């Protein structure tokens, strides 16, 4: 199995291109199943989550061609003339929870679907109660049996006016997809407003739905009986951009992140500016300059967009472990997203947990090499960040987690001056 080895201590300097967004790609690929027409999706990132999803949708009847546009990104030409299977098996849904969203096209186009319950994961229990309550209100019959959700419809699903208890990203995606093919007006309130929701809504509109209000907490969807093909581009990955911005803040240096708009990482920008980092917004790119080695401790709390993203919490903790003082990080989105804490402690971080808050007693140069284990995607990124500044050589095991969401991370970091390699151990 591959591991990552990092010799810490190098500055990061140079420029990189930010890849297509994982969390925008997944719902957009699933939305292609809503039509029998051809869909072109450009700037698909080369990530294992994308390939897991493609494997699943192939088994459902999609035919596709992946065209390598440069050395990493792909253009996906996909068509699902007919849904041939209505089953999303445990094996694939367990690997990647977003697979659960195929329930929307399956029930709409096949009339019934059998989709594995996703189960818990390393960051929390992640229930599916909102999805089920929406489907029931729309008129679907739901049974949970043998670890599967079995959903079926007798008559057409009906449009509903639904208020989410929490602005869930996945549930908002699901609602947009399903309502786009229900004739009449559906409304979702307290909807998520993440940029990925906007991307999906724009795609569905190009396919023929009439969605208004996306990007705000009330979205109104006028669905239709048939959606058509389209040609769409995946936006850049704001979490990858944020991870690199945190990396250069830790190591010092100067980095230009291309193909990303500063607005998408506004919350991180505001926090980083308090650690004495210069962040410049250029045309469709960002420059981050960290001249001195002083990192001020800052308290943060994760929040839905536009708040500080939970997907950057672990990476930010690695930075705070290396800061010159005490800080607190409160995780409010997922109850168990702290698996990286013990690994950072093994590398010398002084971090303790009190409920959903981590207390970090930062100390410059406290991080040192250790064999550590990645437990989930963002946790593995936090270990890479820690390794970049740690004394000695850090070895990170189970790095398949990082390949789920970071495209060629070691290549990108090496091009910026880091000393990092992937080895088969
Ligand atoms: N929730 C419920 N019931 C539901 C659905 C969600 O209680 O039926 C709760 C969750 O348990 C959680 C909260 O709502 O406490 C928010 O979860 P959300 O549904 O927004 O998360 P998600 O859609 O499953 C997406 C991203 C995550 C990201 C979160 C929050 C994708 C593929 N995944 O997950 O990304 O952390 O939104 O922004 O878009 C990652 O990329 O590392 C990642 C985990």
């Amino acid at each position: 199995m591959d591991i990552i080895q990092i010799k810490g201590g190098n500055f990061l300097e140079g420029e990189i291109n930010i890849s297509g967004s994982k969390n925008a790609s997944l719902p957009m690929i699933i939305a292609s199943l809503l039509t029998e027409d051809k869909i072109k999706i450009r700037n698909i990132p080369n990530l294992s989550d994308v390939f897991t999803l493609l494997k699943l949708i192939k088994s459902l009847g999609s035919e596709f061609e992946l065209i390598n546009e440069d050395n990493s990104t792909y253009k996906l030409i996909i068509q699902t003339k007919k849904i041939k299977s209505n089953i999303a098996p445990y094996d694939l849904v367990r690997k990647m929870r977003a697979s659960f969203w195929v329930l929307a096209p399956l029930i709409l186009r096949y009339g019934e679907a059998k989709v594995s319950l996703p189960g818990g994961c390393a960051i929390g229990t992640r229930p599916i109660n909102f999805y089920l309550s929406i489907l029931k209100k729309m008129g679907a019959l739901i049974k949970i049996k043998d670890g599967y959700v079995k959903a079926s419809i007798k008559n057409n699903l009906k449009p509903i006016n639904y208020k989410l208890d929490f602005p869930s990203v996945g549930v908002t995606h699901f609602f947009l997809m399903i309502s786009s093919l229900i004739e009449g007006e559906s409304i979702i309130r307290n909807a998520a407003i993440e940029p990925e929701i906007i991307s999906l809504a724009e795609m569905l509109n190009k396919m023929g739905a009439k969605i208004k209000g996306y990007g705000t907490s009330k979205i109104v969807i006028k669905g239709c009986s048939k959606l058509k093909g389209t040609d769409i581009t995946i936006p850049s990955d704001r979490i990858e951009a944020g991870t690199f911005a945190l990396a250069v803040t830790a190591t010092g240096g100067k980095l230009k992140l291309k193909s990303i708009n500063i607005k998408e990482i506004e919350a991180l920008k505001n926090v980083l500016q308090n650690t004495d980092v210069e962040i410049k917004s250029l045309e469709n790119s960002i420059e981050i300059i960290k001249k001195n080695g002083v990192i001020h401790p800052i308290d943060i709390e994760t929040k839905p967009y536009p708040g500080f993203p939970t997907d950057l919490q672990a990476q930010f903790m690695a930075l705070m472990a290396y800061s010159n003082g005490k800080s607190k990080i409160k995780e409010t989105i997922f109850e168990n997203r702290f698996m990286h804490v013990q690994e950072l402690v093994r590398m010398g971080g002084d971090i303790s947990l009190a409920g959903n808050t981590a207390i970090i007693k930062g100390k410059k140069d406290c991080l040192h090499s250790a064999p550590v284990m990645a437990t989930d995607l963002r946790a593995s990124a936090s270990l890479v960040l820690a390794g970049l500044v740690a004394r000695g050589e850090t070895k990170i095991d189970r790095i398949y987690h990082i390949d789920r969401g970071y495209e060629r991370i070691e290549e990108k970091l090496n091009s910026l001056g880091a000393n990092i390699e992937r080895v088969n151990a």
Side-chain angles (χ1 to χ4, degrees):
M1 206 184 286
D2 285 357
I3 66 163
I4 277 182
Q5 287 179 181
I6 312 172
K7 288 197 184 104
N10 293 6
F11 289 114
L12 294 182
E13 192 138 15
E15 56 179 56
I16 52 160
N17 201 46
I18 297 301
S19 303
S21 158
K22 167 179 86 79
N23 288 348
S25 308
L26 302 175
M28 287 165 82
I29 293 173
I30 292 174
S32 73
L33 269 71
L34 293 168
T35 174
E36 53 195 50
D37 292 352
K38 209 173 253 184
I39 301 263
K40 276 189 196 155
I41 311 180
R42 297 165 199 272
N43 200 29
I44 294 268
N46 183 355
L47 300 172
S48 64
D49 268 9
V50 167
F51 291 102
T52 303
L53 179 60
L54 290 177
K55 192 172 168 192
L56 170 63
I57 64 174
K58 192 174 178 190
S59 75
L60 304 176
S62 301
E63 285 175 4
F64 57 82
E65 199 185 343
L66 257 183
I67 301 161
N68 202 194
E69 300 233 277
D70 50 46
N71 66 351
S72 59
T73 56
Y74 292 94
K75 177 168 74 184
L76 177 69
I77 303 175
I78 186 162
Q79 187 164 23
T80 314
K81 285 187 190 149
K82 199 166 177 259
I83 302 278
K84 291 185 184 143
S85 158
N86 65 344
I87 301 171
Y90 176 61
D91 247 21
L92 293 170
V93 182
R94 173 182 59 90
K95 265 196 195 148
M96 195 193 54
R97 298 180 58 87
S99 313
F100 183 75
W101 303 334
V102 298
L103 183 51
L106 289 186
I107 193 169
L108 287 163
R109 288 189 62 193
Y110 201 95
E112 54 183 58
K114 186 177 163 194
V115 176
S116 168
L117 287 165
C121 79
I123 63 177
T125 49
R126 303 182 81 178
I128 53 159
N129 52 328
F130 303 156
Y131 295 91
L132 299 184
S133 118
I134 286 169
L135 282 169
K136 280 181 194 160
K137 281 211 161 78
M138 287 176 163
L141 301 168
I142 306 285
K143 272 191 204 154
I144 310 269
K145 203 166 172 248
D146 305 330
Y148 280 80
V149 176
K150 290 182 180 171
S152 57
I153 42 180
K154 268 199 187 138
N155 306 309
N156 285 344
L157 291 175
K158 54 177 191 280
I160 58 168
N161 183 334
Y162 191 85
K163 182 164 188 274
L164 273 173
D165 288 344
F166 183 88
S168 155
V169 175
V171 179
T172 306
H173 283 319
F174 186 80
F175 194 92
L176 294 189
M177 286 193 237
I178 209 157
S179 313
S180 292
L181 268 185
I182 298 178
E183 284 181 85
E185 184 176 275
S186 300
I187 299 175
I188 182 163
R189 286 170 295 127
N190 199 23
I193 61 170
E194 268 68 3
E196 295 75 26
I197 301 291
I198 297 178
S199 305
L200 177 67
E202 283 173 349
M203 174 177 177
L204 292 167
N205 275 347
K206 285 182 89 175
M207 291 169 73
K210 289 192 174 56
I211 307 179
K212 284 193 178 145
Y214 49 92
T216 76
S217 61
K218 183 180 168 192
I219 309 179
V220 181
I221 304 111
K222 279 208 178 96
C224 46
S225 59
K226 221 170 177 165
L227 292 169
K228 59 177 193 283
T230 189
D231 185 334
I232 194 116
T233 302
I234 304 283
S236 299
D237 195 309
R238 62 193 172 97
I239 303 301
E240 186 195 25
T243 302
F244 277 94
L246 285 163
V248 71
T249 306
T251 61
K254 185 174 169 187
L255 213 61
K256 187 172 175 188
L257 305 176
K258 294 192 294 180
S259 320
I260 184 87
N261 187 317
I262 199 136
K263 272 197 195 135
E264 299 215 344
I265 56 164
E266 190 84 13
L268 177 67
K269 181 193 100 178
N270 294 339
V271 169
L272 284 184
Q273 276 173 339
N274 292 324
T275 63
D276 213 1
V277 179
E278 205 185 318
I279 303 184
K280 287 188 201 161
S281 170
L282 310 171
E283 204 192 325
N284 203 26
S285 65
I286 306 172
E287 196 164 67
I288 301 136
I289 305 160
K290 177 65 180 167
K291 286 188 184 135
N292 60 31
V294 183
I295 296 158
H296 302 301
I298 300 166
D299 295 347
I300 59 142
E301 195 172 317
T302 61
K303 285 273 164 68
Y305 192 84
F308 193 95
T310 174
D311 292 345
L312 287 174
Q313 180 259 105
Q315 302 90 311
F316 187 74
M317 193 180 295
L319 180 73
M320 287 299 99
Y322 190 67
S323 74
N324 57 351
K326 188 172 161 183
S327 61
K328 282 186 191 163
I329 298 182
K330 189 170 174 188
E331 172 57 58
T332 72
I333 311 291
F334 294 110
E335 73 279 11
N336 191 30
R337 207 172 199 180
F338 280 135
M339 301 281 276
H340 43 285
V341 168
Q342 285 318 312
E343 301 304 299
L344 290 172
V345 167
R346 298 189 66 249
M347 293 180 71
D350 184 343
I351 309 169
S352 54
L353 287 176
N356 66 349
T357 302
I359 298 125
I360 304 124
K361 289 185 186 146
K363 197 168 164 217
K364 180 94 183 143
D365 296 332
C366 68
L367 296 175
H368 53 72
S369 63
V372 285
M373 194 174 76
T375 48
D376 72 73
L377 167 58
R378 308 302 171 189
S380 46
S382 80
L383 299 176
V384 170
L385 253 64
L388 289 173
V389 291
R391 276 173 283 121
E393 188 172 69
T394 304
K395 291 185 178 175
I396 310 175
D397 202 353
R398 300 205 183 166
I399 53 145
Y400 50 83
H401 286 293
I402 212 159
D403 297 328
R404 294 186 56 186
Y406 291 90
E407 190 175 86
R408 299 176 294 115
I409 192 166
E410 70 278 15
E411 242 178 76
K412 286 190 180 181
L413 283 169
N414 275 332
S415 77
L416 300 171
N419 188 340
I420 167 169
E421 63 176 337
R422 180 185 294 253
V423 290
N424 194 271

